[in-house]
Amino acid sequence: QKEEEAKQLYMLWSDDNRGASLKAANGLSYVPATKVKLPGHGGSYNPPKEYLEDEHEDDKDMQVSSKKSFDCLRKVPAYDRFVNDQFERCLDLYLCPRMRSRKGNRTAENLQRRIAEQKAKLPKPSELRPYPRKLALEYKHDGEQVSINSVCVDPSGHWIATAGSDGIVRIYEVSNARCIRKWLLSDEKDKRSTQVTSIAWCPSGKDILLAVRGEKVFAIPVMMNKTKMSELTGGQVLINRSLQQLKGNEGSGKAKWSKQTLKEDLKKSAHDALCIQLGKKASKCSWHHKGDYFVTVCPTGNNLAVLVHQLSKGATQTPFNKSKGNKVLSCLFHPSKPVLFVASENHVRAFHLVKQELVAKLISGAGSIISMALHPQGDNIIVGTTASRVEWFDLDLSGKAYKVIRNHANTVQDVAFHNKYPLFASASDDGQVHIFHGMVYNDFETNPLIVPVKILKNAHEITDHLGVLSCCFHPQQPWIFTAGADGIVKLYIN
């Protein structure tokens, strides 16, 4: 047996490609490279004489193509197809990938290191001041279990208006938090739709306030510039002109305009206001920058979900004959162009109202869009979603989000841009308000700079799973107003 074991033969190079072949057969990443074909008699510079070409030989396959034979390697000339063969060999190796591409090593240490590197490139928050940092005033609302659905500031920055769930629109003085007006919009006949869901102040300086309650939209003359009881303000004059044009005109089938007397609780007076009956429950409203047109949103209105109203003529238009996609949740006018931005659950579409064509279509990554804000220049949009995300869209770059911010722990109820400073904010149901520095450059080569600068923790108490419902910036100062479900409006200053 020992002699048989000693005589047993084995391959010296048997394990060279065995591991590689096993890996390739098992579907692993490594694939062995193809080997060059071994040279035969045709590759010899001094082949035997029987392999040289002979005119009388029948079997040409066994013969060498070259008739020349050299005594030594020094006499062999250069190979004329050397470059071609090497190039074809490189092509074979290039077209046959031997290693599958894998993503980088995603360990916790590497992720922390990358985050630290990105933070090191951003400027410090102290270098980006001013921005809201501390609480200055609280505007408390009387009544039990009153939640503030919306808050807005007039263009002068002296007054703020709040929309309460009790059907009352309150006007406060910014400097001392004194309530000076209380407009009762609740209807005793219809108690189901008592909440005022949205308000918007006229941006052209006229003291007109839009308020949405149920299926009605009210244009209220707030009378902030009134000095004498006998004088009429600009808002009252404009509303009186619209009421005179409504005489003999019952309105179209899209919306019905009428006069309605509203009660003012503090002064114990009553004033005439415009009332627009939409036919469907409205959710939001917003003004055009000139102050004559405004848009209302009815999520269940189908083709009447978006209505554009003209205050001076008392007319209503439908910009869209058909509703595209999901229900509409928000609408905004472009600050300088005749473009209307319409936000549905998953998309934001920009329509040119003069050309009547689709200009841009933005796609949200995750969750349903709830709120939307437009940059003062009109080229950037931020949206808040139910997936606790804030998505920044740049219309000049792409239809997908340029930056996705995942700082909140609950639904983002509202987002807002500052008209003067490079600031934007997001308010969420987690009771926090996040302040960001968002610089937009005029050149097309530089992307927007987004830096988180402040987190207003515990800004509002969470009530019935709702936190901060609305936020807006002061038109001149780096201040922010926040409204929550706890019935308090807070002012944060720098």
Side-chain angles (χ1 to χ4, degrees):
Q1 294 179 356
K2 293 182 180 181
E3 293 179 358
E4 292 179 359
E5 291 177 359
K7 294 181 180 180
Q8 187 176 2
L9 301 177
Y10 60 94
M11 293 294 295
L12 182 63
W13 311 107
S14 61
D15 295 335
D16 282 354
N17 296 326
R18 185 177 179 183
S21 61
L22 289 176
K23 289 183 180 179
N26 293 333
L28 297 179
S29 60
Y30 181 79
V31 179
T34 57
K35 290 188 175 182
V36 182
K37 189 178 180 180
L38 295 176
H41 293 290
S44 175
Y45 65 91
N46 189 14
K49 295 182 179 180
E50 59 267 18
Y51 286 98
L52 294 175
E53 284 189 356
D54 190 2
E55 297 180 357
H56 304 286
E57 184 67 32
D58 296 334
D59 192 1
K60 299 294 183 181
D61 297 336
M62 297 296 296
Q63 297 180 1
V64 182
S65 58
S66 178
K67 295 182 179 180
K68 296 182 180 180
S69 175
F70 303 97
D71 298 338
C72 58
L73 190 59
R74 291 183 289 104
K75 298 181 180 180
V76 177
Y79 178 48
D80 54 350
R81 290 190 52 85
F82 175 78
V83 178
N84 296 339
D85 289 352
Q86 294 297 323
F87 179 71
E88 292 177 358
R89 171 68 175 169
C90 293
L91 285 181
D92 292 340
L93 296 176
Y94 174 74
L95 295 176
C96 179
R98 293 185 292 159
M99 186 66 67
R100 298 176 186 174
S101 61
R102 292 184 178 180
K103 296 182 180 179
N105 189 10
R106 294 186 176 182
T107 60
E109 297 178 355
N110 292 340
L111 290 177
Q112 292 178 359
R113 179 177 52 82
R114 292 178 184 177
I115 293 173
E117 292 177 355
Q118 293 178 359
K119 288 183 178 180
K121 296 179 182 179
L122 296 177
K124 297 180 180 179
S126 59
E127 301 174 358
L128 303 176
R129 293 178 180 176
Y131 55 83
R133 290 186 297 160
K134 59 182 179 180
L135 178 64
L137 287 173
E138 290 186 357
Y139 307 83
K140 296 184 179 181
H141 292 62
D142 53 353
E144 297 180 358
Q145 297 180 354
V146 177
S147 64
I148 310 304
N149 297 322
S150 180
V151 61
C152 66
V153 193
D154 77 311
S156 65
H158 296 147
W159 324 97
I160 63 168
T162 62
S165 60
D166 54 356
I168 300 177
V169 175
R170 297 172 176 85
I171 310 298
Y172 290 87
E173 194 172 354
V174 172
S175 58
N176 54 18
R178 181 172 63 94
C179 184
I180 58 174
R181 293 287 190 276
K182 287 176 66 176
W183 296 95
L184 305 178
L185 303 185
S186 59
D187 192 357
E188 296 180 357
K189 298 180 181 179
D190 188 8
K191 296 183 179 180
R192 294 176 298 176
S193 57
T194 59
Q195 292 195 18
V196 182
T197 56
S198 178
I199 53 176
W201 217 298
C202 184
S204 61
K206 301 170 184 176
D207 57 329
I208 299 178
L209 185 70
L210 290 180
V212 176
R213 182 191 64 82
E215 298 180 358
K216 296 180 181 180
V217 179
F218 298 91
I220 309 171
V222 192
M223 299 177 298
M224 290 296 102
N225 301 326
K226 188 173 181 180
T227 57
K228 297 181 180 180
M229 295 299 295
S230 59
E231 295 180 357
L232 295 178
T233 61
Q236 286 177 302
V237 172
L238 182 58
I239 289 180
N240 290 337
R241 290 178 183 176
S242 301
L243 292 175
Q244 290 178 0
Q245 293 184 1
L246 293 178
K247 293 181 180 180
N249 184 13
E250 298 180 355
S252 61
K254 303 171 186 176
K256 295 182 180 181
W257 294 61
S258 62
K259 181 178 73 172
Q260 185 164 342
T261 303
L262 298 180
K263 296 180 181 180
E264 202 282 313
D265 193 24
L266 293 181
K267 301 294 182 180
K268 301 300 179 182
S269 59
H271 299 276
D272 293 336
L274 273 175
C275 178
I276 307 172
Q277 181 71 32
L278 302 178
K280 296 289 184 179
K281 189 175 181 180
S283 61
K284 290 187 178 182
C285 63
S286 62
W287 283 94
H288 189 263
H289 66 279
K290 292 185 178 180
D292 189 18
Y293 292 90
F294 61 93
V295 62
T296 57
V297 176
C298 301
T300 60
N302 296 329
N303 59 334
L304 300 178
V306 180
L307 295 176
V308 178
H309 313 274
Q310 188 176 3
L311 189 61
S312 60
K313 295 183 179 180
T316 301
Q317 307 174 27
T318 54
F320 313 113
N321 294 327
K322 297 181 181 179
S323 61
K324 295 183 179 180
N326 300 326
K327 60 181 180 180
V328 180
L329 298 174
S330 180
C331 281
L332 290 175
F333 284 103
H334 193 279
S336 59
K337 300 178 182 179
V339 176
L340 181 64
F341 293 90
V342 180
S344 60
E345 291 182 345
N346 301 319
H347 302 85
V348 177
R349 294 178 173 88
F351 296 93
H352 199 287
L353 299 178
V354 177
K355 298 180 181 179
Q356 297 182 358
E357 62 181 10
L358 181 65
V359 178
K361 182 179 179 181
L362 310 177
I363 303 174
S364 176
S368 177
I369 297 175
I370 290 184
S371 54
M372 176 175 61
L374 187 62
H375 192 268
Q377 296 181 1
D379 293 333
N380 294 270
I381 296 177
I382 55 175
V383 297
T385 65
T386 57
S388 309
R389 296 183 180 182
V390 177
E391 298 182 357
W392 178 297
F393 291 92
D394 192 341
L395 298 178
D396 297 330
L397 290 179
S398 172
K400 296 183 180 180
Y402 161 70
K403 188 75 68 176
V404 179
I405 304 171
R406 303 177 178 89
N407 290 353
H408 287 287
N410 212 329
T411 302
V412 180
Q413 290 287 353
D414 198 11
V415 289
F417 271 110
H418 200 290
N419 292 329
K420 184 178 178 181
Y421 292 91
L423 296 172
F424 71 96
S426 61
S428 173
D429 281 338
D430 56 3
Q432 296 182 357
V433 178
H434 291 223
I435 311 297
F436 298 88
H437 174 88
M439 175 62 73
V440 177
Y441 301 93
N442 294 326
D443 57 337
F444 294 99
E445 297 180 357
T446 308
N447 293 329
L449 176 63
I450 302 174
V451 182
V453 292
K454 184 65 177 178
I455 299 178
L456 304 177
K457 297 182 179 180
N458 300 323
H460 293 270
E461 295 182 1
I462 300 176
T463 306
D464 295 334
H465 306 285
L466 296 176
V468 188
L469 299 180
S470 179
C471 66
C472 67
F473 283 99
H474 193 276
Q476 282 88 25
Q477 301 294 334
W479 303 346
I480 189 171
F481 298 89
T482 63
D486 54 358
I488 302 175
V489 176
K490 295 184 179 181
L491 169 62
Y492 291 88
I493 63 175
N494 59 327

